[in-house]
Amino acid sequence: MRTILITLIAIVGLQAKAQVAFITGGKIEFEKKLNQHQTIKSTNDPDEQQSSWQEEYLKQIPKSVTDIFVLEFNEHKSVYKLAAPTDQKYMWSAKPSEDDVLVQDFEKKEMTVQRDVFETTYLIKDSLRNLSWRITDETREIAGFTCRKAVTKICDSVVVVAFYTDQIVVSSGPEAMGGLPGMILGLAVPRLYTTWFATKVILNDYTDQQLTPKQKGTAANWKNLHVTLNKALKEWGKWGNRFLWSLLL
Amino acid sequence: MPKLTFVVVLLLSGTILKAQQSSISGKVNDTLNKTQLHRAVVHLLRAKDSVLVRFVRTAADGSFAINNVDSGKYIVLVSFPSYADFVTDLSLDGTSAKEMGNLTVIKSASLLADVLVKQKIAAIRIKGDTTEYKADSFNVGPNANVQELLKKLPGLQVNSKGEITAQGQKVQKVLVDGEEFFSDDPAVVTQNLRSDAVDKVQVFDKKSDQATFTGIDDGEKIKTINLELKEDAKKGYFGKVEVGSDFDRFRKGRAMINAFKGKQKIAAFVTNDNSRFESLNWEERSQFGEDLNRTTEVQDDGSTWTTSSGDYFSNGQGFPNQTTGGLLFSKKWAQDKQNFNGTYQFNQLNVTGGRTGFEKTILPQGDTSFTNSYTTNFDNQAHRSRAKLVHEWTIDSSSSLKATINGSYNKNQSFEANQNNTINEGNRKLNEASRTLSNDESKTTVAANVFYRKRFKKKGRTISLSVDVEKTDIKSDGFLKANNIFYTINQPAFVLPTDQNKTNVEDRLSYKAKAVYTEPLGKDYFLESNVLYSRGNNEANRTTLEKLPGGVKYENRIDTLSNFFSFNTRNVQGGASIKYNGKKFQWSLGTDLGSVRFAQDDRLRNFTRSLSFTNFLPRASVKFIRNKQSSVNLTYNGSTQNPTLNNVQPIINNIDPLNITVGNPDLQQEFRHNFNVNFNDYKVLKNRSIWLGGGLTLTDNAIANASFIDSSGKRINKAVNVDGNFSMWMWSNYGFDLFEGINFGFTFSPNINRNVNFINGKRNTTTNYQWRFGIQTSYWGDKIYNFWINIEPAYNIASSTINPTDVKYWSLNSYPNFGLKFKKLKLYLDLEGEMRWFQKAGAFAVGRDVYQLNASIKKTFLKKEELELKLYINDVFNQAQGVDRSISSNFISEDVSQVIQRFFMFSLTWNFNHSNAQAAK
């Protein structure tokens, strides 16, 4: 159920002289929506497009699947993970992992990502992402917040669209995204036919301790994971690209 | 304030750094409300592409400072919630600190009031506030992109940067079919957007997302263009034409086409081939005709399980001449809610051929054993026409209805001439027979199914209903002419001539209704229940006629070989099971219980008999999920198997007078316990896989054969119940990358079977062991070569209690494949082998090894390699033969059938493809 909680904040720090409540800590619920049919139609080879096999496959899986993710944050850290598993019919490999946890640490300027990559659980330690965000003057309202649109690219060419609000002062967002002057409440990767939109923002004070989940996995960084994936998915054609982009997001 | 100190430190250090870098400072305030703005964001954007270079939030007094900025042109953007953006250009020459002074921002509300000018534009209003253009009425050429289309529309302007102005206002949003983000990625746009893919262009003022969602109009509107795409813009056709011949005996011709326009598709194919059985391969069947023998299922993890069963027309022994054809029409409409699919297919298969072989029967000690040798020639003509109509209706998001009608007509004309003789261990001839059997059979089947499914609001609560009706009519008319000579001490003792006309008329009608209901019990538990009711009525009238002495017509009815039965079944069944779906562990437990009644009415002898059975079908399963790529699955299911009409019906069938089957009306049902285990562990990154599957079937009261063989070699078979049957199988494979890209695998797949039967009243237990091993290696990449080699040795042991010596032998199968591709020369070479080798064992004195190699060389022409010239050599060494050997129970048999051997075939193939999607590239 989509419910939008418009949060009206009365008192947040007396130092704010203008009557605007800035948010420094809380929990955001994101709705991640993946269009499975569009993914299959655009990733399968052209001669598979007209095959009865693809038709049958599409009939048996829903057009899109939706998962809820949560982002808990304070001014020092943010933790992003799946809220609860669902039993929808996913296409192969699209089911999100319940064990994945992504921590961004703004003090140390680094992130620690526990991510299931096929059979291996990786613990990716790397600095916070340094993406070139192109800022636009387009804005839209997400979960009651005015958000500005910014666009960047990952893996050289994959466009990522983000909507951030300056009202939340923490530079974080869904997946390993961040680096904008505020919180990303909306994210879209057109080529993966996937969007993330915040549906709820709940104010909360988290201690750093509460934002220190247990994480484990094979040590890696983004660069060597990219090399490993490139090698393993070399023969996978367009599907290999899709896996690569979504696993490096 | 630690933050402030931090800023001060930065400020100080900034002045020490190199001269190419500058620092910026300033203060953000709202003069109107006389407040200094704390935490306003100061964005520093690169002027040429507005990429964010740095940002900072203002301190409590509204001050900010950004240090160490490279020289260049920038845009400073200051934002503060509910305030209008402050934007200014900034040029840094890298010399000194830039003091920007007071940056004044004002509340959005006051800004709007000042600058917003109400626009008034006269436009054709079609739908309320929406201006709609029909894309096709603006001619922009076939491969134009959407931008070119938009430029042509009155009231719209597109500037050099690609920015769109509609009715004097800048368009802020371009939606594609209401989807917002496709237009952000150029790669996605080129995939989805060509001007001829667009049906309508709608220009409107979109309410804010908030307003759309809450339904509360906040007055905020943005100029939006929605590109409504045509239902499905794809249009085109593809297909191929292929002709081949050896300019002598073998030939083939195939033509197929698939034409699609939007969500409508027509596909057709016609083939004629006398060099092989199967006329369309898997891929072709999927593209040009619905594969009526195939089912596809999507598993819980999203992987698919496709099963395709062969039939009489897809493989066989002998020399085929097959003509096939098919027509497919499919259409979707009403947002894919209505989906219709119609298929018609025909097959005409003529096969001639011959088989020779022997069957050795081992009798209990004290008795002798016989060897029956035979030679058979056959000539069969089979015709089949099939049609299938499917209509699916998605009533709403939670319910759907599917109706299927299937019809088929089969006509088989078969002729078989057989010569056989039986000798005993001392090489003494016991009997000799020759017979011809001809039969002309037609079979018509019509089946209909209606399936309804509904998901309720409560998650996990579903109901499905299914109703089936099927009607089958069979008519056959045939002649049996045989001459059986029985010998005593190598001299003919008596002669049994047979000359009969056999007819059979059978009508079957069955109904079935089934309902399944699932209900969630708490979070992870589900209850599934089902009820089933089915009825079957079967009438079979078999008549055997012979000539009266001296007569020419078949008019004398042989009562012992004629009967008229009506056979009715009624089955009522219901059951329930509980499922637990945990994260790491899942189980289910349940059973079905049923009552089945068979009523058999012998219309000729006025004898009625009925049998009732209680069916018991327990089931259980356990699944451990180790991780995404690895799980262990254990299942059990038990089932009752009831005797068939043929087991029970006491009709004497005399087609082979030396091999007669009699019925057993006292037969009991059997009960099978099936245990299965499955384990898989697939590592994608390492390309390593382990698959393991195994099964055990124990059968209580198994329906088995009891045969009585007299000294002349004549055998009478009867179905009886026995205990002690079991079968066990296992399949395991370990695969890994030997070198990068070269996969290597081991398999181990043993089989053990134990079967009990009776021979001349003695209990005989046959146990067969097969220890099968295998190694495979393959490379399937983009290099010049690729290969796939499989070698499977097996050690076979057959033992039987009535035969004191076990039969043990090795056999080996190998399927090597090797390919070379010279891409620049457009030349492709393929070798495909099949090797079957049997160790010479006592039972099989003659080696029947098969070394078959097929080779092909292919050269392609034209830019997209549309034209293909190919030379194919079937069975290069002229070695092919169809060998089937088996050692089972108390039989040892070998059957060698004629197959197509060496031939050459030149073929020319033209692949054609035209679609608007391709033309756009």
Side-chain angles (χ1 to χ4, degrees):
Chain A
M1 271 295 125
R2 247 181 90 136
T3 44
I4 297 185
L5 200 90
I6 304 164
T7 346
L8 292 170
I9 315 109
I11 319 147
V12 177
L14 290 162
Q15 68 267 47
K17 283 176 187 149
Q19 287 301 307
V20 169
F22 284 95
I23 294 167
T24 54
K27 180 172 149 181
I28 304 169
E29 276 191 21
F30 286 97
E31 218 176 63
K32 179 191 173 194
K33 193 172 169 190
L34 163 71
N35 187 331
Q36 304 197 115
H37 283 200
Q38 198 68 41
T39 305
I40 290 162
K41 283 182 191 167
S42 63
T43 318
N44 272 351
D45 287 338
D47 52 340
E48 280 173 283
Q49 300 296 325
Q50 286 297 323
S51 83
S52 56
W53 187 84
Q54 180 177 302
E55 289 266 301
E56 269 174 64
Y57 188 77
L58 291 180
K59 254 184 236 168
Q60 294 188 41
I61 57 167
K63 188 177 174 200
S64 60
V65 283
T66 307
D67 287 292
I68 309 290
F69 282 79
V70 288
L71 182 77
E72 295 166 330
F73 65 96
N74 63 21
E75 277 187 285
H76 307 133
K77 277 176 147 188
S78 73
V79 177
Y80 176 75
K81 61 181 187 244
L82 184 71
T86 56
D87 55 350
Q88 309 170 77
K89 207 140 202 176
Y90 294 93
M91 59 182 206
W92 189 68
S93 83
K95 190 178 174 136
S97 165
E98 293 170 51
D99 305 321
D100 284 5
V101 186
L102 198 150
V103 181
Q104 301 200 44
D105 188 321
F106 315 110
E107 299 271 277
K108 294 181 189 157
K109 297 197 187 313
E110 62 179 36
M111 65 169 93
T112 320
V113 184
Q114 180 184 327
R115 187 168 279 187
D116 282 348
V117 178
F118 299 108
E119 71 271 16
T120 310
T121 303
Y122 280 104
L123 189 66
I124 303 152
K125 280 200 172 164
D126 217 317
S127 50
L128 290 178
R129 274 214 169 128
N130 193 14
L131 295 165
S132 284
W133 289 105
R134 189 168 53 81
I135 309 292
T136 73
D137 55 1
E138 181 183 337
T139 58
R140 70 185 288 182
E141 198 115 317
I142 300 169
F145 293 87
T146 304
C147 295
R148 182 184 297 274
K149 180 175 169 180
V151 181
T152 190
K153 280 179 186 170
I154 60 159
C155 301
D156 296 331
S157 70
V158 182
V159 173
V160 176
V161 181
F163 289 89
Y164 68 95
T165 177
D166 53 3
Q167 204 173 338
I168 302 176
V169 301
V170 179
S171 296
S172 185
E175 303 294 335
M177 291 294 150
L180 283 163
M183 179 62 76
I184 299 171
L185 293 184
L187 189 74
V189 183
R191 223 176 288 186
L192 291 174
Y193 301 101
T194 310
T195 58
W196 292 253
F197 277 103
T199 53
K200 243 188 220 180
V201 178
I202 300 154
L203 294 191
N204 202 353
D205 281 329
Y206 288 105
T207 61
D208 286 358
Q209 197 55 42
Q210 282 172 308
L211 299 181
T212 313
K214 273 187 189 153
Q215 284 177 298
K216 57 173 189 201
T218 311
N221 58 38
W222 290 118
K223 206 177 152 190
N224 61 35
L225 179 64
H226 197 152
V227 172
T228 310
L229 285 172
N230 256 339
K231 208 178 119 191
L233 301 170
K234 202 169 50 187
E235 314 277 349
W236 291 49
K238 278 160 122 186
W239 280 101
N241 282 335
R242 205 201 96 82
F243 288 130
L244 192 76
W245 301 331
S246 56
L247 289 166
L248 293 176
L249 202 62
Chain B
M1 270 230 123
K3 210 165 192 177
L4 202 67
T5 8
F6 184 65
V7 171
V8 171
V9 170
L10 270 178
L11 214 108
L12 287 170
S13 60
T15 53
I16 309 160
L17 275 168
K18 288 176 204 162
Q20 281 91 341
Q21 294 190 313
S22 318
S23 58
I24 312 156
S25 58
K27 212 167 194 183
V28 178
N29 52 34
D30 172 359
T31 42
L32 205 68
N33 293 309
K34 311 239 179 318
T35 47
Q36 285 143 353
L37 296 178
H38 178 211
R39 283 181 161 154
V41 174
V42 181
H43 301 73
L44 189 65
L45 310 180
R46 202 156 61 200
K48 67 169 175 164
D49 53 6
S50 60
V51 160
L52 180 69
V53 178
R54 297 273 285 277
F55 69 85
V56 73
R57 282 187 190 263
T58 54
D61 62 351
S63 69
F64 70 93
I66 305 173
N67 300 299
N68 305 338
V69 183
D70 290 337
S71 56
K73 284 195 158 73
Y74 294 95
I75 297 166
V76 174
L77 164 70
V78 180
S79 73
F80 193 85
S82 74
Y83 275 67
D85 293 342
F86 173 90
V87 184
T88 182
D89 287 335
L90 180 71
S91 188
L92 295 176
D93 53 10
T95 49
S96 63
K98 180 97 182 172
E99 172 56 53
M100 297 188 75
N102 276 336
L103 307 179
T104 308
V105 292
I106 43 175
K107 280 239 175 206
S108 311
S110 35
L111 177 81
L112 281 172
D114 289 348
V115 290
L116 199 71
V117 181
K118 286 247 160 75
Q119 300 264 349
K120 210 177 179 186
I121 301 114
I124 326 136
R125 285 169 194 253
I126 298 169
K127 286 182 190 170
D129 293 341
T130 310
T131 312
E132 196 172 78
Y133 304 90
K134 183 91 184 144
D136 282 344
S137 36
F138 301 91
N139 191 11
V140 283
N143 300 325
N145 64 23
V146 170
Q147 252 181 44
E148 287 171 66
L149 170 71
L150 294 182
K151 279 182 193 169
K152 293 241 168 168
L153 301 181
L156 264 71
Q157 285 103 42
V158 183
N159 69 14
S160 56
K161 284 191 218 156
E163 289 166 348
I164 308 160
T165 317
Q167 296 142 7
Q169 273 178 297
K170 196 176 159 197
V171 172
Q172 297 186 33
K173 239 176 229 203
V174 178
L175 308 179
V176 179
D177 257 352
E179 284 265 11
E180 188 177 349
F181 298 103
F182 286 0
S183 55
D184 279 308
D185 191 336
V188 180
V189 173
T190 47
Q191 257 176 23
N192 292 284
L193 284 188
R194 288 180 331 279
S195 71
D196 55 357
V198 179
D199 185 19
K200 287 171 200 156
V201 178
Q202 296 165 333
V203 181
F204 54 90
D205 293 321
K206 190 178 190 281
K207 283 180 198 164
S208 70
D209 291 282
Q210 183 65 27
T212 315
F213 200 78
T214 57
I216 304 159
D217 194 343
D218 53 7
E220 217 177 296
K221 278 177 184 162
I222 39 177
K223 195 53 93 182
T224 304
I225 287 183
N226 181 35
L227 303 169
E228 197 163 293
L229 300 184
K230 289 174 185 164
E231 271 269 289
D232 192 330
K234 281 186 219 136
K235 189 166 105 183
Y237 55 85
F238 63 94
K240 67 170 134 187
V241 179
E242 187 178 352
V243 285
S245 172
D246 67 343
F247 306 107
D248 180 25
R249 191 181 150 196
F250 294 104
R251 56 165 207 282
K252 67 172 170 184
R254 285 137 50 89
M256 47 200 93
I257 186 166
N258 181 332
F260 48 95
K261 186 183 175 186
K263 301 209 167 174
Q264 205 165 305
K265 180 167 103 174
I266 294 178
F269 66 87
V270 57
T271 73
N272 175 263
D273 200 328
N274 68 352
S275 66
R276 58 180 184 158
F277 276 86
E278 196 181 41
S279 68
L280 294 187
N281 66 31
W282 194 91
E283 198 188 339
E284 290 164 345
R285 279 202 300 273
S286 171
Q287 286 177 3
F288 300 103
E290 196 182 356
D291 191 349
L292 297 174
N293 293 331
R294 194 193 62 208
T295 56
T296 301
E297 245 181 77
V298 179
Q299 308 292 300
D300 287 341
D301 63 351
S303 61
T304 48
W305 188 253
T306 301
T307 45
S308 189
S309 56
D311 55 36
Y312 177 78
F313 295 90
S314 57
N315 53 54
Q317 305 284 0
F319 305 105
N321 182 4
Q322 180 156 219
T323 306
T324 66
L327 200 63
L328 170 87
F329 174 76
S330 74
K331 187 182 166 132
K332 283 189 245 180
W333 67 98
Q335 281 91 45
D336 295 357
K337 280 187 177 146
Q338 304 282 359
N339 190 339
F340 173 80
N341 202 311
T343 313
Y344 169 76
Q345 283 177 10
F346 81 84
N347 295 66
Q348 172 70 43
L349 175 63
N350 301 345
V351 195
T352 58
R355 295 204 315 265
T356 60
F358 69 84
E359 188 175 275
K360 189 175 175 184
T361 309
I362 298 144
L363 292 181
Q365 271 173 309
D367 295 332
T368 50
S369 72
F370 311 107
T371 302
N372 180 274
S373 307
Y374 61 86
T375 306
T376 301
N377 288 302
F378 59 88
D379 184 349
N380 295 336
Q381 284 158 31
H383 171 85
R384 179 179 64 192
S385 289
R386 290 196 282 185
K388 186 181 181 181
L389 305 175
V390 184
H391 189 144
E392 282 174 86
W393 176 28
T394 310
I395 302 164
D396 52 49
S397 60
S398 71
S399 58
S400 67
L401 188 71
K402 181 176 173 181
T404 309
I405 297 176
N406 254 308
S408 77
Y409 172 74
N410 284 263
K411 190 164 171 60
N412 274 302
Q413 284 175 285
S414 60
F415 174 80
E416 182 189 294
N418 177 288
Q419 294 275 344
N420 68 73
N421 65 69
T422 310
I423 55 169
N424 69 5
E425 271 173 316
N427 255 346
R428 258 173 45 196
K429 193 182 260 184
L430 298 177
N431 59 55
E432 174 176 276
S434 65
R435 69 163 184 263
T436 61
L437 184 67
S438 63
N439 195 28
D440 206 334
E441 184 185 86
S442 66
K443 182 176 163 186
T444 313
T445 304
V446 181
N449 169 272
V450 177
F451 182 76
Y452 172 80
R453 186 164 47 182
K454 179 160 179 71
R455 274 198 318 265
F456 290 92
K457 268 195 183 146
K458 185 164 184 184
K459 207 174 160 191
R461 184 183 287 171
T462 63
I463 190 163
S464 70
L465 304 166
S466 164
V467 178
D468 277 279
V469 182
E470 185 171 334
K471 182 165 169 41
T472 304
D473 292 321
I474 300 171
K475 282 191 180 69
S476 77
D477 191 353
F479 295 91
L480 170 68
K481 291 176 188 177
N483 201 33
N484 291 282
I485 307 164
F486 297 88
Y487 287 77
T488 33
I489 325 172
N490 282 335
Q491 291 300 314
F494 74 94
V495 177
L496 176 71
T498 311
D499 185 2
Q500 293 166 350
N501 174 217
K502 288 172 173 290
T503 59
N504 181 23
V505 178
E506 214 175 315
D507 292 327
R508 295 180 203 153
L509 182 64
S510 64
Y511 314 85
K512 190 168 104 179
K514 189 176 180 176
V516 179
Y517 178 76
T518 61
E519 172 74 30
L521 306 170
K523 191 170 152 267
D524 294 323
Y525 289 89
F526 295 89
L527 175 75
E528 189 191 282
S529 56
N530 71 79
V531 279
L532 174 133
Y533 177 80
S534 73
R535 275 195 88 103
N537 300 317
N538 187 356
E539 260 184 18
N541 190 351
R542 292 173 198 198
T543 313
T544 302
L545 299 170
E546 63 180 359
K547 291 172 187 166
L548 285 168
V552 283
K553 277 172 79 184
Y554 295 92
E555 53 195 344
N556 188 34
R557 179 193 179 92
I558 305 169
D559 285 344
T560 54
L561 298 175
S562 303
N563 58 29
F564 184 13
F565 276 113
S566 99
F567 193 75
N568 297 313
T569 56
R570 196 210 61 216
N571 188 8
V572 185
Q573 194 171 303
S577 56
I578 287 183
K579 249 192 218 168
Y580 169 75
N581 274 356
K583 191 177 155 191
K584 294 273 165 194
F585 176 62
Q586 301 174 344
W587 59 260
S588 73
L589 185 70
T591 189
D592 279 5
L593 261 176
S595 152
V596 58
R597 185 173 172 272
F598 299 105
Q600 184 180 264
D601 184 7
D602 186 336
R603 302 267 182 94
L604 289 180
R605 294 167 191 84
N606 281 327
F607 176 74
T608 310
R609 187 187 164 84
S610 77
L611 289 166
S612 288
F613 297 111
T614 301
N615 283 333
F616 176 50
L617 301 144
R619 57 184 178 263
S621 74
V622 188
K623 187 175 181 177
F624 300 94
I625 301 159
R626 295 179 60 217
N627 55 48
K628 253 200 274 181
Q629 256 80 29
S630 178
S631 63
V632 186
N633 210 345
L634 288 154
T635 58
Y636 164 78
N637 60 69
S639 62
T640 39
Q641 300 282 325
N642 299 310
T644 65
L645 174 61
N646 269 333
N647 294 142
V648 181
Q649 167 193 316
I651 184 177
I652 296 173
N653 187 337
N654 69 333
I655 287 175
D656 178 358
L658 298 174
N659 216 343
I660 288 167
T661 304
V662 296
N664 178 1
D666 301 319
L667 212 56
Q668 301 295 305
Q669 62 180 176
E670 67 175 39
F671 194 87
R672 286 189 202 164
H673 305 270
N674 290 309
F675 299 88
N676 277 292
V677 60
N678 243 305
F679 169 75
N680 62 65
D681 185 10
Y682 176 38
K683 293 193 189 309
V684 178
L685 299 177
K686 285 193 184 133
N687 202 7
R688 195 220 69 190
S689 60
I690 298 171
W691 312 99
L692 194 147
L696 170 67
T697 303
L698 300 169
T699 314
D700 295 335
N701 248 349
I703 297 170
N705 190 38
S707 48
F708 292 86
I709 302 157
D710 66 18
S711 58
S712 66
K714 191 172 166 183
R715 176 167 36 224
I716 296 166
N717 302 300
K718 184 182 178 183
V720 294
N721 291 107
V722 298
D723 267 332
N725 278 12
F726 80 86
S727 71
M728 247 170 95
W729 63 272
M730 189 180 117
W731 189 82
S732 60
N733 177 277
Y734 178 76
F736 60 95
D737 264 2
L738 190 62
F739 305 106
E740 209 186 301
I742 297 182
N743 198 264
F744 205 76
F746 295 102
T747 51
F748 173 54
S749 40
N751 277 296
I752 304 169
N753 289 294
R754 192 169 78 187
N755 284 299
V756 178
N757 63 355
F758 283 88
I759 295 155
N760 289 356
K762 283 203 179 101
R763 186 185 161 97
N764 174 34
T765 305
T766 311
T767 315
N768 284 299
Y769 302 87
Q770 187 182 51
W771 306 101
R772 202 144 52 93
F773 307 90
I775 48 173
Q776 311 91 39
T777 177
S778 62
Y779 172 77
W780 219 255
D782 210 30
K783 294 206 177 98
I784 185 166
Y785 64 92
N786 58 57
F787 59 84
W788 184 80
I789 298 163
N790 179 24
I791 300 167
E792 281 192 347
Y795 187 60
N796 306 274
I797 305 167
S799 72
S800 142
T801 49
I802 57 163
N803 185 6
T805 44
D806 290 353
V807 183
K808 298 174 180 175
Y809 65 100
W810 281 93
S811 63
L812 189 131
N813 290 344
S814 176
Y815 304 93
N817 277 267
F818 187 76
L820 281 175
K821 47 186 171 191
F822 304 99
K823 275 191 191 160
K824 278 186 188 152
L825 293 170
K826 295 183 177 176
L827 200 65
Y828 304 86
L829 191 77
D830 280 295
L831 295 173
E832 162 198 306
E834 179 179 348
M835 203 201 106
R836 277 178 290 148
W837 174 86
F838 303 91
Q839 187 186 12
K840 280 181 191 143
F844 303 115
V846 187
R848 293 281 186 201
D849 303 341
V850 177
Y851 304 93
Q852 189 175 344
L853 179 73
N854 305 327
S856 76
I857 181 161
K858 185 171 88 180
K859 167 104 178 118
T860 60
F861 302 92
L862 304 181
K863 205 166 82 191
K864 285 183 193 158
E865 305 191 68
E866 293 102 324
L867 200 64
E868 241 176 66
L869 184 67
K870 183 169 159 184
L871 169 64
Y872 170 75
I873 309 166
N874 189 67
D875 190 17
V876 175
F877 304 126
N878 213 24
Q879 285 270 335
Q881 53 181 336
V883 182
D884 187 13
R885 284 180 161 177
S886 82
I887 298 183
S888 68
S889 160
N890 58 322
F891 303 121
I892 297 171
S893 67
E894 179 181 278
D895 184 276
V896 181
S897 54
Q898 293 174 330
V899 294
I900 297 170
Q901 292 187 309
R902 178 163 62 203
F903 68 87
F904 301 84
M905 180 160 318
F906 291 96
S907 63
L908 190 66
T909 308
W910 177 48
N911 293 295
F912 55 90
N913 194 337
H914 176 84
S915 70
N916 55 0
Q918 279 200 328
K921 273 176 195 167

